[in-house]
Amino acid sequence: MFVLITYDIATTDDGGKRRLRKVAKACVNYGQRVQNSVFECSLDAAQCRKLELELEKLIDTDTDSLRFYYLGKSKEAKVKHIGAKAAYDIGGAIII
């Protein structure tokens, strides 16, 4: 399934900055950053639940927030991109 993950981490202290780095690193392991705090991920149900639990453990629920948008299997019908940064094909080949 295609999942859009967004987060807002309070960075007013060193703990917040550390949480922000950890959340971003966890998201990078599962998907592609498309904006500063936005990731596109192609996950199966088990991976999605694992990532949700991992991120939930990293944040401070009193000051931070996570949002998961479950867009199903076909993102093309639900995502429109305009502007800079070319659209990323999450299912395509990666050349390193």
Side-chain angles (χ1 to χ4, degrees):
M1 90 180 94
F2 183 72
V3 181
L4 188 71
I5 301 171
T6 67
Y7 54 85
D8 187 21
I9 308 297
T11 57
T12 54
D13 61 11
D14 289 338
K17 293 173 185 172
R18 195 169 24 259
R19 288 192 312 276
L20 179 64
R21 285 190 302 274
K22 288 180 179 182
V23 167
K25 187 175 180 180
C27 289
V28 164
N29 291 333
Y30 288 88
Q32 174 69 33
R33 183 189 300 263
V34 292
Q35 292 186 359
N36 287 338
S37 297
V38 181
F39 283 80
E40 292 179 348
C41 305
S42 181
L43 308 168
D44 62 32
Q47 290 172 318
C48 189
R49 186 65 185 138
K50 181 179 177 186
L51 180 56
E52 286 175 6
L53 292 172
E54 184 177 340
L55 293 175
E56 190 175 341
K57 290 177 185 176
L58 292 174
I59 69 165
D60 178 348
T61 56
D62 292 330
T63 59
D64 306 333
S65 68
L66 292 167
R67 289 169 99 47
F68 294 83
Y69 298 90
Y70 305 101
L71 302 176
K73 293 184 180 186
S74 176
K75 77 170 188 167
E76 290 76 20
K78 299 175 180 139
V79 177
K80 181 177 181 179
H81 176 261
I82 299 172
K85 295 186 182 179
Y88 169 73
D89 179 9
I90 202 160
I94 298 175
I95 301 172
I96 300 176

